[in-house]
Amino acid sequence: MANSYSALGRWFEYLNDDCGYEQWSQYLIKTLKNAGAGAKGVDIGCGNGYFTRALIKAGYTVRGIDVSPQMLDKAQQISLKEGVRAEFLLGDITKLKLPAKVDFAVAINDCINYVPKEKLKSAFGKVYDCLKTGGAFIFDISSPNKLKNVLGNNLFAEDRDDVAYMWFNSLADDSVTMDITLFSKNADGTFSRFDERHVQYIHEEDDICTALKETGFTVRTEGHLGGTKEERINFICTRL
């Protein structure tokens, strides 16, 4: 079984083209402005770099960081194609270290769901150490309701001309294990099969807020795009 996003990494943004990236990025930019964030930041768990590129286009100076080399390779390709000068680095939020402190950090679309509960406070501490005093940290999680009742113990599939996948989920007490089989079209018209496993952890809102406050952040929460918290919860934090 391959590591997370070893195969899916090059297809991630393409297969999520129905998630409302444009509206989501505008919400993020507005939230950063309302938080009084400065110009320099880091996009943790940047994936194929959509939010990194959107922030750069909005005038911010942003590095993208992800644990998947395949994600970052595709992020660089898309950025070059769009004429966006972006820097992407291999890194993990639980080991985050930057050469200089930044004004803000974002971690969008489930990055924190990949962090086990026992490592949350340590991960938040790494982000805290990378921020200037008064710096903003904005991130989201898939809610317990989404992981338990929408994704857990369910099967999803999609078939496109150039790629297809089957996604099998298994719910445990504190996590969902996601086994994904992906078929990617080759230049000669044949398809190659890839299998990989993801584990997303179920985090309660109160547990995350407690870990953030113990780390030294102030925090407020709201739902996706400022709406309900049924499937996604946003955390808007400030380093004291």
Side-chain angles (χ1 to χ4, degrees):
M1 187 69 67
N3 293 330
S4 296
Y5 296 110
S6 57
L8 190 59
R10 62 177 289 223
W11 296 103
F12 183 78
E13 190 172 305
Y14 173 67
L15 289 171
N16 280 275
D17 56 6
D18 61 349
C19 76
Y21 273 125
E22 175 62 25
Q23 187 180 11
W24 203 346
S25 65
Q26 292 308 306
Y27 163 82
L28 178 61
I29 292 165
K30 180 180 178 181
T31 304
L32 283 170
K33 289 180 178 178
N34 290 342
K40 295 185 178 180
V42 59
D43 181 7
I44 305 166
C46 67
N48 290 158
Y50 187 94
F51 297 106
T52 308
R53 301 193 308 275
L55 289 167
I56 292 172
K57 291 174 183 177
Y60 294 96
T61 300
V62 186
R63 285 189 178 99
I65 294 178
D66 203 277
V67 297
S68 166
Q70 295 82 6
M71 282 283 210
L72 296 178
D73 285 347
K74 189 64 176 181
Q76 193 66 64
Q77 291 173 26
I78 298 172
S79 293
L80 290 171
K81 183 178 180 180
E82 293 186 2
V84 177
R85 298 185 64 180
E87 181 182 9
F88 295 102
L89 303 173
L90 189 66
D92 183 339
I93 189 171
T94 64
K95 303 173 184 176
L96 186 65
K97 197 170 186 179
L98 299 178
K101 292 185 183 294
V102 293
D103 299 307
F104 68 87
V106 298
I108 308 301
N109 199 4
D110 296 352
C111 174
I112 303 301
N113 287 108
Y114 285 92
V115 180
K117 182 177 180 179
E118 64 270 16
K119 293 185 178 181
L120 278 177
K121 190 174 177 180
S122 174
F124 294 153
K126 295 294 185 183
V127 177
Y128 185 94
D129 290 342
C130 289
L131 290 172
K132 298 176 183 178
T133 300
F137 178 31
I138 298 170
F139 66 92
D140 63 68
I141 62 167
S142 282
S143 69
N145 172 66
K146 178 182 176 182
L147 288 172
K148 292 177 181 179
N149 301 317
V150 179
L151 299 183
N153 290 329
N154 275 324
L155 163 66
F156 302 87
E158 185 172 359
D159 183 11
R160 302 192 184 189
D161 290 341
D162 46 1
V163 63
Y165 68 82
M166 295 181 294
W167 172 12
F168 303 86
N169 292 337
S170 179
L171 176 65
D173 289 340
D174 65 346
S175 64
V176 176
T177 298
M178 306 172 177
D179 289 312
I180 298 172
T181 296
L182 183 139
F183 299 91
S184 175
K185 191 173 185 179
N186 302 312
D188 63 1
T190 62
F191 282 79
S192 295
R193 172 178 171 163
F194 304 91
D195 296 282
E196 59 185 53
R197 172 168 289 177
H198 302 240
V199 177
Q200 287 201 11
Y201 294 92
I202 299 168
H203 296 309
E204 297 293 338
E205 179 180 348
D206 287 348
D207 291 339
I208 290 186
C209 287
T210 297
L212 286 164
K213 290 173 183 177
E214 289 178 351
T215 304
F217 286 103
T218 63
V219 56
R220 68 178 180 86
T221 65
E222 61 186 26
H224 186 51
L225 305 181
T228 70
K229 298 178 180 179
E230 185 176 356
E231 292 197 3
R232 191 170 295 280
I233 305 170
N234 291 303
F235 297 79
I236 299 94
C237 317
T238 302
R239 175 188 163 152
L240 296 175

